[in-house]
């Protein structure tokens, strides 16, 4: 894709800004949010992969803006989804710094405490994105992966979604909807439901049906969080009469058969193409922002090149992910933007463009990234934080400008790193010894942030690791 700098659109941006939320007609934009699961930074054609064909996601990038410095809020599933729903760092909620374990298991101190109290999930007292949009007059729907609480009190219909069909856990058989301890995962409004078919198709078909049947004067927010390419590794033609055996190697996260992984991603791309075609057929394109991203970096089954690290870590490969935004005549076509951004920036943008109101007691922590690219605002330095705990292992990171501090704490030992991402995107040259003052400064910023969010999180205090 030809590279067009953010500074090249100054003359057009005045026109785009006027159309962003259709002020002239009084119409507000629709939003379709497409979220992949464990997709690597380098897994798409528009991000350089040649052995996987993703023409539909690529055409979405060709019609809009592709980000090179977009981050997930967490290196695993649940944390990023919390940040998207709340527009705030997931640490404020408590218990959701790493993915909820299969079968509703807490994986570290806060999560274990909350699980013992039957309270591990996204609480309904949080003012979530769908609730903010619904209160602003939007219709809302989710078809796909939720993974923000097993119990009915955490179900998405209680967070403002009008229509729901979702899996509650991290991974499940794509054809029989059982997880790797044989728990059933397919739900609607807090209740198990029976369906047939490949889950990627089910999500896309529900989204297409929603778009085809939509005849309301209300604008809408359609959230389609795919499970692809999360394990178990099953392509669209891999269905069997019986569920995948619990001891099948296809459940192993880092050992996907390459041909199956490719088939999964290519089929998701095909179905995303069907969703995009439906948006066009229903004459919704000019009224709809389409956002695509991944919830965290790819596992070792993915391709994160040129980044180092994988899902679960705070190295770039665990948290930097593909992201694309498109809306004809508003987002410039074929644009590449290097602005550092993160999942909950989408939340801020959607709330702002929808004319919704946030909770003044819990202000959104992101920036309006859509307006940033739409108005061709200059890129600027940001400070972004990550923390993920599982058991005794804690990953910590802060990026300020191009400098990034990363630490891995395991038991009583902590290893610190410092990288300059402007010249070392692959994090191969540790500067912690040669730039000790910068290391100390960023570590101090991280520790200050960690102290604040963990002191005020939901649940009982625990010692800071």
């Amino acid at each position: 894709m030809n590279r067009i700098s953010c500074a090249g659109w100054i003359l057009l941006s005045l026109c785009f800004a006027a159309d962003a939320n259709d002020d002239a007609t009084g119409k507000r934009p629709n939003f379709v949010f497409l979220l992949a699961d464990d997709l690597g930074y380098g897994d798409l054609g528009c991000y350089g992969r040649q052995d996987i064909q993703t023409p539909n996601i690529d055409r979405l990038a060709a019609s809009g803006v592709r980000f090179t410095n977009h981050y997930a809020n967490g290196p695993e599933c649940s944390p990023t989804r919390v940040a998207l729903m709340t527009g705030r760092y997931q640490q404020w909620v408590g218990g959701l710094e790493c993915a909820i374990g299969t079968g509703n298991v807490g994986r570290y101190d806060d999560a274990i405490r909350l699980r013992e109290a039957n309270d591990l999930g996204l609480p309904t007292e949080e003012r979530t994105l769908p609730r903010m949009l619904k209160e602003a007059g939007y219709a809302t729907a989710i078809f796909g992966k939720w993974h923000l609480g097993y119990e009915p009190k955490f179900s998405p219909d209680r967070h403002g979604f009008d229509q729901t069909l979702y899996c509650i856990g991290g991974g499940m058989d794509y054809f029989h909807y059982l997880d790797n301890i044989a728990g059933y995962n397919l739900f609607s409004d807090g209740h198990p439901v029976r369906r047939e078919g490949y889950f990627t198709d089910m999500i896309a078909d529900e989204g297409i049906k929603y778009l085809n049947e939509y005849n309301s004067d209300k604008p809408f927010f359609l959230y389609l969080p795919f499970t692809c390419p999360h394990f178990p590794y099953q392509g669209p033609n891999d269905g069997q009469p019986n569920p995948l055996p619990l001891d099948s190697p296809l459940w192993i996260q880092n050992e996907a058969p390459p041909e199956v992984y490719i088939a999964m991603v290519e089929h998701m791309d095909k179905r995303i193409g069907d969703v995009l075609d439906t948006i066009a057929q229903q004459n919704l394109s000019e009224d709809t922002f389409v956002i695509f991203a991944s919830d965290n970096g790819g596992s070792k089954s993915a391709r994160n090149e040129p980044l180092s690290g994988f899902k679960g870590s705070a190295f770039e490969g665990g948290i930097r992910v593909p992201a694309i935004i498109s809306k004809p005549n508003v987002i410039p076509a074929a644009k590449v933007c290097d602005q550092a951004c993160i999942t909950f920036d989408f939340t801020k943008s959607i709330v702002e463009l929808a004319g919704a109101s946030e909770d003044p007691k819990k202000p959104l922590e992101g920036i309006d990234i859509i307006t940033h690219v739409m108005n061709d605002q200059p890129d600027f330095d940001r400070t972004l934080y990550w923390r993920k705990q599982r058991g005794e292992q804690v990953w910590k990171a802060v990026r300020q400008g191009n400098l990034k501090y990363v630490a891995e704490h395991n038991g009583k030992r902590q290893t610190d790193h410092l990288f300059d991402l402007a010249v070392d995107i692959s994090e191969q040259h540790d500067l912690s010894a040669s730039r000790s003052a910068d290391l100390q400064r960023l570590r101090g910023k991280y520790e200050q942030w960690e102290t604040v969010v963990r002191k005020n999180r939901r649940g009982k205090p625990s010692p800071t690791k």
Side-chain angles (χ1 to χ4, degrees):
M1 184 181 295
N2 292 331
R3 185 179 183 82
I4 301 176
S5 69
C6 291
W9 296 94
I10 295 176
L11 293 178
L12 294 177
S13 65
L14 296 176
C15 297
F16 296 149
D19 290 338
N21 48 13
D22 300 307
D23 290 334
T25 63
K27 294 173 62 178
R28 289 176 293 167
N30 308 312
F31 300 94
V32 174
F33 199 112
L34 308 164
L35 189 67
D37 192 350
D38 292 2
L39 188 72
Y41 183 81
D43 271 342
L44 302 174
C46 56
Y47 281 84
R49 186 151 186 176
Q50 297 181 351
D51 62 334
I52 295 182
Q53 304 303 309
T54 55
N56 296 295
I57 299 173
D58 295 349
R59 71 176 162 110
L60 188 67
S63 69
V65 59
R66 178 175 66 89
F67 293 92
T68 62
N69 275 287
H70 177 72
Y71 289 94
N73 268 92
E76 291 186 347
C77 305
S78 300
T80 296
R81 294 161 199 270
V82 174
L84 175 64
M85 288 294 106
T86 64
R88 292 163 55 81
Y89 282 106
Q90 59 271 18
Q91 283 74 19
W92 295 109
V93 175
L96 296 171
E97 282 194 337
C98 76
I100 299 173
T102 302
N104 198 15
V105 172
R107 287 170 159 165
Y108 67 104
D109 49 12
D110 286 346
I112 292 169
R113 262 193 304 274
L114 290 166
R115 175 64 188 96
E116 290 173 349
N118 296 317
D119 207 19
L120 180 58
L122 181 60
T124 54
E125 55 264 30
E126 292 292 331
R127 188 172 167 82
T128 54
L129 175 60
R131 180 174 292 126
M132 287 184 272
L133 292 175
K134 187 172 182 177
E135 291 174 356
Y138 271 70
T140 57
I142 174 177
F143 308 122
K145 178 173 175 175
W146 180 236
H147 204 189
L148 291 177
Y150 274 71
E151 299 175 49
K153 67 178 181 178
F154 299 121
S155 61
D157 59 296
R158 294 173 181 255
H159 283 284
F161 282 107
D162 299 319
Q163 296 186 38
T164 72
L165 179 67
Y166 57 93
C167 66
I168 57 173
M172 66 176 187
D173 185 314
Y174 280 72
F175 296 92
H176 297 278
Y177 325 127
L178 300 177
D179 60 29
N180 56 350
I181 60 170
Y184 192 74
N185 266 251
L186 189 60
F187 284 74
S188 177
D189 295 351
H191 304 287
V193 294
R194 298 291 173 182
R195 294 291 182 92
E196 294 183 355
Y198 187 58
F199 192 60
T200 299
D201 288 328
M202 186 185 304
I203 294 169
D205 289 343
E206 289 292 329
I208 289 168
K209 179 181 177 183
Y210 184 87
L211 293 167
N212 281 330
E213 295 180 351
Y214 196 78
N215 58 7
S216 173
D217 291 333
K218 291 182 177 181
F220 63 81
F221 172 66
L222 174 59
Y223 179 38
L224 300 177
F226 292 88
T227 53
C228 179
H230 193 287
F231 69 84
Y233 298 110
Q234 297 171 294
N237 300 318
D238 294 339
Q240 299 293 330
N242 296 315
L244 190 67
L246 302 183
D247 61 354
S248 169
L250 297 176
W251 287 105
I252 302 175
Q253 176 170 256
N254 295 316
E255 299 181 13
E259 68 280 4
V260 177
Y261 189 89
I262 290 172
M264 293 173 72
V265 175
E266 289 188 344
H267 192 71
M268 178 178 67
D269 177 83
K270 177 180 182 296
R271 297 317 316 269
I272 285 175
D274 294 336
V275 172
L276 299 178
D277 289 344
T278 304
I279 292 171
Q281 292 161 7
Q282 295 299 319
N283 297 316
L284 294 169
S285 297
E286 294 192 358
D287 299 325
T288 304
F289 284 100
V290 179
I291 302 170
F292 174 87
S294 182
D295 65 342
N296 48 251
S299 70
K300 292 180 182 179
S301 295
R303 182 174 297 175
N304 291 327
E305 295 176 2
L307 310 178
S308 65
F310 302 94
K311 171 186 176 180
S313 81
F315 291 121
E316 292 292 281
I319 54 178
R320 193 187 295 208
V321 295
I324 299 164
I325 302 172
S326 178
K327 186 174 189 282
N329 302 318
V330 172
I331 301 295
K335 183 174 181 176
V336 177
C337 191
D338 299 326
Q339 172 64 53
C341 53
I342 196 166
T343 308
F344 62 29
D345 292 341
F346 294 135
T347 312
K348 179 71 171 181
S349 289
I350 292 170
V351 169
E352 292 287 333
L353 293 168
S357 60
E358 59 189 89
D359 185 347
K361 296 181 180 179
K362 296 181 178 181
L364 302 181
E365 294 183 292
I367 64 168
D368 183 351
I369 189 62
I370 294 180
T371 298
H372 176 87
V373 297
M374 188 171 59
N375 289 354
D376 194 36
Q377 296 169 356
D379 293 345
F380 60 96
D381 290 345
R382 297 182 68 186
T383 303
L384 301 172
Y385 300 92
W386 293 268
R387 185 184 195 278
K388 191 213 86 173
Q389 182 173 357
R390 180 182 287 205
E392 292 299 310
Q393 182 189 54
V394 185
W395 282 96
K396 310 174 182 184
V398 55
R399 174 174 174 171
Q400 185 174 50
N402 289 317
L403 285 182
K404 182 184 173 190
Y405 163 75
V406 182
E408 180 183 6
H409 180 99
N410 203 332
K412 296 182 179 180
R413 181 178 179 181
Q414 179 166 305
T415 304
D416 292 344
H417 308 275
L418 182 71
F419 303 103
D420 184 349
L421 298 177
V423 295
D424 185 22
I425 188 175
S426 301
E427 296 174 305
Q428 297 301 301
H429 305 289
D430 189 348
L431 305 175
S432 57
S434 61
R435 298 179 63 172
S436 58
D438 285 323
L439 175 72
Q440 296 296 331
R441 177 175 57 83
L442 289 185
R443 183 165 58 192
K445 287 191 70 68
Y446 172 84
E447 290 174 350
Q448 182 180 29
W449 170 82
E450 182 189 76
T451 298
V452 171
V453 295
R454 285 177 63 76
K455 179 180 179 181
N456 294 283
R457 71 197 183 282
R458 182 173 59 110
K460 297 179 181 178
S462 66
T464 299
K465 296 288 191 288

